Amino acid sequence: MKAIQFDAFGGPEVLHEVEIDQPVPAAGEVLVQVKRAGVNPLDGKMRAGYTQAFFPITLPHVPGLELTGVVSAVGEGVTDFAVGDEVFGWGNGTYAEYAIGTTLMRKPAELDWDIAVSLPVATETALRVLNLLDVSSGDTLLIHGASGAVGSIAVQLAVQRGATVIGTAGAANQEYVATLGATPTHYGDGLVARVRALAPNGVDAVFDTAGKGALPDSIELRGGTTDRVVTIADPAAGELGVTMTSGGEPTPVAEITEAAESAERGELTVTVAATYPLADAAKAQEAVDGGHAGGKVVIVLD
C-alpha cells in the first residue's frame, strides 16, 4: 500500500511516499481503508523529534493520528464494527491507504468525509479544555486563535454552554469568528485594551489555542492570576505558571459522536482550510506548522 514515511527527524522535507505492507489487524483491532487523514500540529512536532521525551517513536515512522474511512477487516473478538462500516476517530499511521484504528466511532451517514476527519482531535481538545476551565453559563471566555480548527469548535461549544465568548483572529477571519457566535477582536499589540473595552466586567477564563505569546496579556486580563488560564500551544506556559495541556483522559466517544451528529445537521460549523493528496503530505504539514491554516488541513486518499 502507499504511505507517507520519514526515516530521520527534520522539517517537512523528510516526508516521502513509500510502498509498505498493509497492516493486519490483531485480536481486538480494526483495519480501516483510509478516506481522509487529519493533519495536526502534533504530527509536525513528532516529525521534528520534539516529542521524543514524552511520546517516543521509532524510525522509520508513518505519521498520522486521525482518520475517517471504511472498515476493511476486523481482528478476532471485534463485535462493535463490521466490514463496510463507515467510521472516524483515531488511528496509528493514518497517512496511508490502510491503518489500524485505535478509538473509532460510527460516522453519521450524511456527514462529509472532510468534516468527519476534522472532528476527533479538535472536539476532544476543545471539550477537555472547556472542562478544565469549568466554563459555564454566564462566564466570559477569551479564546486565542478562534478561527482555527480547535478554536472554532471551542467557540461554538462554549456558546452552547451559555458563555459569552471573545475570540482573537487575524483581519481576514474577523467576520468568520462572529458567525461562530463570538465577538471577534484582533490579536497583537493593544489586546488588553481591546478586550477590556469588549468585556468591562472582566474575563472569567482564557483558552489559548494559538501559542503566539498572548499568555502575559491573558494573565493581566485575569487580574494577575493564572487561575482559569489554559494553553494547548505556548511553550512559555511553564515559566509563567500557566496550565498547558496536550492530552489526558479522553473525552467520551458519545460526546464526539454527538458533535458529529450536530455537524451532520449543520448545527456545528467546521472549516476545512485545505485538502492535499497523499503525495503532498509535506505541503500539508508545512501549512499546519506555520500556524495560520485557518481551519482543518486534510489529506485525501480517494
Side-chain angles (χ1 to χ4, degrees):
M1 69 172 186
K2 292 180 180 178
I4 298 297
Q5 187 172 281
F6 59 94
D7 309 309
F9 297 117
E13 70 280 356
V14 301
L15 299 173
H16 56 277
E17 190 173 296
V18 294
E19 285 281 347
I20 59 175
D21 292 338
Q22 181 176 306
V24 176
E29 292 185 338
V30 176
L31 179 67
V32 179
Q33 180 182 7
V34 181
K35 294 282 190 179
R36 304 286 190 275
V39 183
N40 293 288
L42 180 60
D43 300 349
K45 292 179 174 65
M46 293 173 67
R47 181 209 66 232
Y50 297 154
T51 64
Q52 283 299 94
F54 58 89
F55 198 169
I57 58 174
T58 57
L59 301 177
H61 181 76
V62 176
L65 301 167
E66 194 175 30
L67 59 74
T68 186
V70 180
V71 174
S72 177
V74 297
E76 182 181 354
V78 173
T79 57
D80 294 340
F81 299 101
V83 173
D85 286 347
E86 295 183 350
V87 295
F88 72 113
W90 286 263
N92 291 323
T94 63
Y95 291 21
E97 292 180 311
Y98 292 86
I100 298 293
T102 54
T103 300
L104 297 173
M105 297 149 282
R106 294 184 186 278
K107 184 183 80 67
E110 301 302 317
L111 186 64
D112 181 84
W113 294 108
D114 291 350
I115 302 301
V117 81
S118 303
L119 288 169
V121 169
T123 305
E124 188 279 328
T125 303
L127 285 167
R128 172 164 37 88
V129 176
L130 292 176
N131 289 338
L132 276 173
L133 291 170
D134 194 25
V135 173
S136 60
S137 180
D139 281 340
T140 296
L141 171 67
L142 173 62
I143 297 180
H144 297 300
S147 65
V150 174
S152 60
I153 297 291
V155 167
Q156 295 171 85
L157 295 179
V159 169
Q160 287 177 11
R161 293 185 181 199
T164 297
V165 181
I166 298 169
T168 70
N173 289 311
Q174 295 289 298
E175 184 176 344
Y176 170 62
V177 170
T179 68
L180 299 175
T183 299
T185 192
H186 297 272
Y187 53 76
D189 293 342
L191 176 67
V192 171
R194 288 192 298 276
V195 173
R196 282 178 173 162
L198 295 170
N201 293 323
V203 170
D204 297 299
V206 182
F207 181 178
D208 172 34
T209 76
K212 299 297 182 180
L215 291 183
D217 283 349
S218 301
I219 294 168
E220 185 175 347
L221 286 164
R222 285 286 297 124
T225 180
T226 59
D227 179 52
R228 298 186 80 187
V229 180
V230 173
T231 182
I232 61 170
D234 196 329
E239 62 192 67
L240 294 171
V242 171
T243 297
M244 182 173 184
T245 176
S246 59
E249 290 298 319
T251 298
V253 295
E255 293 185 59
I256 300 174
T257 299
E258 182 179 344
E261 291 169 348
S262 294
E264 182 188 34
R265 294 190 298 268
E267 297 169 357
L268 183 71
T269 297
V270 178
T271 298
V272 177
T275 60
Y276 294 85
L278 183 65
D280 287 342
K283 294 180 181 178
Q285 281 202 2
E286 187 174 10
V288 173
D289 288 351
H292 296 286
K296 189 68 176 182
V297 173
V298 174
I299 293 174
V300 178
L301 289 104
D302 63 0

